[in-house]
């Protein structure tokens, strides 16, 4: 028993570089800034929806009625400002938990108008976790101001990443159990999935949107829905197995990512955070990608400065303009 | 709660924290991990409740698991022009927040007896829209149509049943 606990503890508290958790903070923070930023007007309009449609969930359940739309807008602005502080890693001990808490509240409120969007759960949970943990010990203003040497690999940077991966697999497992609970193993025969695709397409067409691009083409191919049904159940119920090894986790991530793209092509449903791969970043040594890109850029910049300084300036300007536009 | 646990910098000439403190930090991390994992897994119970309740951010993810019959009912918006030609009205005329949110809101308003008010609000927005074919619409209905799923996908869009909840005219200032 003690041996198992030790093995579990070694696994859960394995070391990771500070830069990995920091890279997750920066990349996920940038996605959230984009995601909330482009939805700013929509969120504000939602806050002005008819009060009778208010069905509070999560933290918003503490409210007996909607808050003033202007107060919501102020909180949304505060969330975006804290989002920038989160990306930069500025006073993270204060701004990190504040950002996580506010983002959770904003999304609970956004989901309190008769529809829960299940694609946002993972994103919000990951931000809360990154906000509460030491994700700004590297690649941050805090780290620069401290002037301390680079942080070594430590279990304190490893366990939040382990937890992020476990939470992701747990949500897919819960989704798989819902399918089993409603239909039993028969869900895998594809008929339930086919019916869902049909109902979704029908709703869209009757409410003025086009059905998913492939829904009509594939509707009569029952065998394909059977294949997808089996695949979905195996991937969702087997999700916790992805925690057992690096290669297994990568295999699972690639397949679940393909599942989201299939949903997009067949039903036209965009799970943006999942399809863009951000939900699954915790499974990869993301800091290496950033370091690689950084070293390539600096090499290119050095080379250009030597051979063509004017071109180097133009490239720097283009990169800056591109980053600003993004 | 802040579970920010600082680490020692590389090369820093410092001792490891006392064992008790070190243990306490891991216990805090363990407690947080367990609490979050349980919170994510707990909604599984909803699957076996008579009236399951979904939540955010902890959900039982029911979206692909609902039982579907041979027919399906959709509450939606229909417009009619001067020749009584039927046009489907886009959900954005009824509200904001995306397709699925507005779809549910339309259904909820009908269930709450607010179909007339919704119809008038859609008619006002339609009146302000210059785009074809909406520009030719002079009457709005809020309806619940029952459709055969297989026939719908085979091209037959006629409902097997249709209930009209509200009917209102589109009043334009410059006819």
């Amino acid at each position: 028993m003690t041996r198992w606990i030790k093995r579990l503890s070694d696994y859960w508290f394995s070391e990771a570089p500070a830069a990995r958790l920091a890279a997750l903070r920066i990349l996920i923070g940038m996605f959230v800034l984009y995601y909330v930023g482009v939805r700013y007007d929509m969120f504000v309009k939602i806050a002005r929806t008819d009060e009778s449609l208010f069905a509070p969930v999560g933290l918003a359940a503490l409210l007996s009625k909607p808050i003033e739309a202007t107060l919501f807008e102020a909180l949304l602005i505060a969330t975006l400002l804290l989002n920038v502080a989160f990306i930069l890693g500025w006073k993270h001990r204060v701004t990190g938990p504040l950002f996580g808490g506010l983002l959770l509240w904003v999304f609970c409120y956004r989901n309190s108008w008769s529809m829960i969007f299940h694609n946002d759960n993972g994103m919000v949970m990951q931000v809360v976790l990154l906000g509460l943990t030491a994700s700004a010990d590297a690649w941050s203003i805090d780290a620069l101001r401290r002037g301390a040497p680079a942080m070594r690999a430590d279990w304190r940077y490893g366990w939040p990443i382990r937890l992020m991966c476990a939470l992701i697999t747990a949500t897919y497992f819960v989704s798989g159990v819902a399918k089993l609970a409603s239909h039993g193993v028969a869900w895998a025969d594809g008929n339930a999935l086919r019916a869902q695709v049909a109902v979704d397409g029908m709703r869209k067409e009757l409410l003025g949107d086009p059905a998913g691009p492939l829904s009509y083409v594939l509707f009569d191919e029952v065998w394909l829905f059977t294949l997808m049904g089996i695949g979905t159940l195996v991937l969702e119920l087997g999700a916790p197995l992805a925690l057992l090894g690096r290669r297994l986790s990568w295999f699972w991530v690639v397949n679940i990512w393909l599942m989201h793209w299939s949903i997009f092509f067949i039903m036209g449903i965009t799970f943006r955070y999942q399809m863009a791969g951000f939900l699954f970043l915790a499974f990869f040594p993301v800091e290496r990608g950033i370091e690689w890109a950084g070293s390539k850029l600096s090499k290119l910049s050095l080379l250009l400065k030597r051979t063509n300084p004017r071109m180097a300036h133009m490239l720097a300007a283009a990169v800056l303009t591109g980053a600003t536009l993004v | 709660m802040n579970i920010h646990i600082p680490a020692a910098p590389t090369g820093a000439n410092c001792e490891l924290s006392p064992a008790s403190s070190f243990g306490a930090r891991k216990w805090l991390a363990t407690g947080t991990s367990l609490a979050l994992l349980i919170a994510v897994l707990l909604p599984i119970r909803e699957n076996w409740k008579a009236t399951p309740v979904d939540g955010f951010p902890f959900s039982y993810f029911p979206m692909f698991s609902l039982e579907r019959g041979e027919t399906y009912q959709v509450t939606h918006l229909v417009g009619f022009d001067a020749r009584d030609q039927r046009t489907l009205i886009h959900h954005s005329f009824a509200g904001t927040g995306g397709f699925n949110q507005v779809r549910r809101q339309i259904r909820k308003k009908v269930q709450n007896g607010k179909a007339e008010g919704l119809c008038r609000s859609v008619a006002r927005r339609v009146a302000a829209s210059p785009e074809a074919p909406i520009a030719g619409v002079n009457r709005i209905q809020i309806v619940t149509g029952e459709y055969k799923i297989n026939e719908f996908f085979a091209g037959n869009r006629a409902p097997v049943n249709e209930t009209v909840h509200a009917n209102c005219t589109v009043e334009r200032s410059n006819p």
Side-chain angles (χ1 to χ4, degrees):
Chain A
M1 185 67 180
T2 329
R3 203 182 61 184
W4 277 102
I5 291 174
K6 188 182 177 316
R7 279 181 76 175
L8 191 62
S9 166
D10 288 349
Y11 168 80
W12 199 256
F13 295 113
S14 57
E15 293 179 346
R20 187 165 303 165
L21 201 58
L24 290 170
R25 184 196 85 240
I26 294 166
L27 292 171
I28 291 172
M30 284 170 77
F31 181 91
V32 176
L33 188 63
Y34 150 77
Y35 190 75
V36 178
V38 298
R39 283 166 181 74
Y40 181 88
D41 286 340
M42 186 181 80
F43 279 23
V44 173
K45 277 183 193 163
I46 289 169
R48 298 200 174 103
T49 306
D50 179 354
E51 195 177 321
S52 70
L53 297 169
F54 187 60
V57 291
L59 293 181
L62 298 169
L63 301 169
S64 57
K65 61 176 192 160
I67 59 169
E68 288 294 321
T70 45
L71 175 60
F72 176 77
E73 192 166 4
L75 290 171
L76 191 57
I77 292 168
T79 308
L80 287 168
L81 291 174
L82 284 166
N83 195 157
V84 175
F86 177 83
I87 295 167
L88 297 174
W90 180 70
K91 296 187 186 297
H92 184 76
R93 275 172 169 250
V94 178
T95 59
L98 261 181
F99 173 54
L102 254 183
L103 189 79
L104 173 63
W105 190 86
V106 162
F107 272 85
C108 285
Y109 198 74
R110 185 264 179 276
N111 281 286
S112 292
W113 300 91
S114 309
M115 174 74 198
I116 294 173
F117 290 86
H118 297 98
N119 49 326
D120 297 331
N121 305 40
M123 181 183 78
V124 172
M125 277 194 274
Q126 290 189 339
V127 167
V128 170
L129 194 52
L130 288 167
L132 287 172
T133 52
S135 63
D137 277 10
W139 294 356
S140 65
I141 292 180
D142 287 354
L144 278 176
R145 286 169 72 179
R146 253 196 324 267
M151 294 294 177
R152 67 180 179 207
D154 196 287
W155 67 266
R156 293 169 181 88
Y157 309 122
W159 79 268
I161 297 172
R162 282 271 187 246
L163 181 55
M164 283 168 88
C165 295
L167 290 174
I168 294 164
T169 59
T171 53
Y172 283 98
F173 178 75
V174 172
S175 183
V177 172
K179 294 174 178 74
L180 267 193
S182 62
H183 293 75
V185 190
W187 194 90
D189 70 12
N191 281 312
L193 183 58
R194 186 169 169 262
Q196 182 60 39
V197 168
V199 162
D200 181 74
M202 184 188 286
R203 286 169 178 164
K204 285 194 172 104
E205 297 238 333
L206 291 169
L207 284 151
D209 275 347
L214 291 178
S215 58
Y216 279 94
V217 180
L218 302 179
F219 186 68
D220 289 325
E221 310 298 329
V222 182
W223 64 273
L224 197 64
F225 285 98
T226 308
L227 268 184
M228 289 190 288
I230 295 168
T232 304
L233 264 195
V234 168
L235 280 174
E236 290 189 343
L237 293 172
L241 297 176
L243 299 173
L244 295 183
R246 198 172 56 172
R247 286 190 181 170
L248 200 58
S249 73
W250 291 358
F251 174 80
W252 179 80
V253 165
V254 168
N255 280 284
I256 211 89
W257 177 74
L258 287 173
M259 184 185 88
H260 283 292
W261 275 96
S262 307
I263 293 172
F264 169 70
F265 283 119
I266 297 170
M267 302 174 78
I269 298 175
T270 42
F271 290 85
R272 285 180 177 79
Y273 193 61
Q274 289 81 350
M275 286 165 63
F278 283 83
L279 181 71
F280 311 109
L281 286 177
F283 285 97
F284 300 94
V286 278
E287 79 285 3
R288 289 186 204 160
I290 293 179
E291 283 164 355
W292 179 84
S295 74
K296 288 286 166 199
L297 262 179
S298 65
K299 270 183 195 165
L300 182 68
S301 145
L302 269 176
L303 190 72
L304 276 174
K305 265 184 191 167
R306 275 189 216 131
T307 55
N308 192 339
R310 206 174 148 202
M311 186 70 131
H313 286 123
M314 279 169 70
L315 180 76
V319 168
L320 269 175
T321 313
T324 311
L325 284 175
V326 166
Chain B
M1 181 183 73
N2 190 331
I3 45 174
H4 178 107
I5 303 167
T10 303
N13 185 17
C14 59
E15 301 272 330
L16 275 176
S17 307
S20 59
S21 161
F22 185 76
R25 287 167 176 178
K26 278 195 176 174
W27 275 115
L28 182 60
T30 306
T32 308
S33 304
L34 281 173
L36 268 173
L37 279 169
I38 290 169
V40 167
L41 292 170
L42 218 54
I44 283 180
R45 296 177 307 167
E46 300 298 324
N47 290 298
W48 291 277
K49 286 186 180 170
T51 318
V53 178
D54 201 9
F56 186 91
F58 307 118
S59 166
Y60 74 108
F61 298 99
M63 57 275 193
F64 281 81
S65 61
L66 300 174
E67 289 274 5
R68 308 284 183 200
E70 283 184 14
T71 61
Y72 186 74
Q73 290 187 340
V74 181
T75 303
H76 59 104
L77 321 168
V78 185
F80 295 89
D81 63 13
R83 290 181 298 159
D84 236 17
Q85 290 286 312
R86 218 175 139 102
T87 305
L88 294 171
I89 305 290
H90 196 265
H91 58 81
S92 56
F93 284 93
T96 188
F99 157 74
N100 269 316
Q101 178 158 308
V102 178
R103 173 180 65 79
R104 288 204 176 190
Q105 291 180 347
I106 293 171
R107 198 178 63 191
K108 197 168 176 180
K109 283 198 172 181
V110 168
Q111 284 168 351
N112 293 345
K114 293 187 167 183
E116 286 292 342
L118 173 65
C119 192
R120 283 195 296 275
S121 144
V122 171
R124 270 196 302 275
R125 287 177 187 169
V126 165
S129 173
E131 286 169 29
I134 299 299
V137 168
N138 59 18
R139 190 160 58 88
I140 299 289
Q141 281 186 350
I142 312 288
V143 303
T144 297
E146 185 175 5
Y147 298 85
K148 283 193 173 172
I149 293 175
N150 283 328
E151 286 190 14
F152 189 93
F153 266 70
N156 177 11
R157 304 293 164 86
V160 287
N161 278 307
E162 190 168 85
T163 308
V164 179
H165 303 288
N167 197 344
C168 53
T169 52
V170 177
E171 287 166 11
R172 291 188 171 85
S173 46
N174 319 325

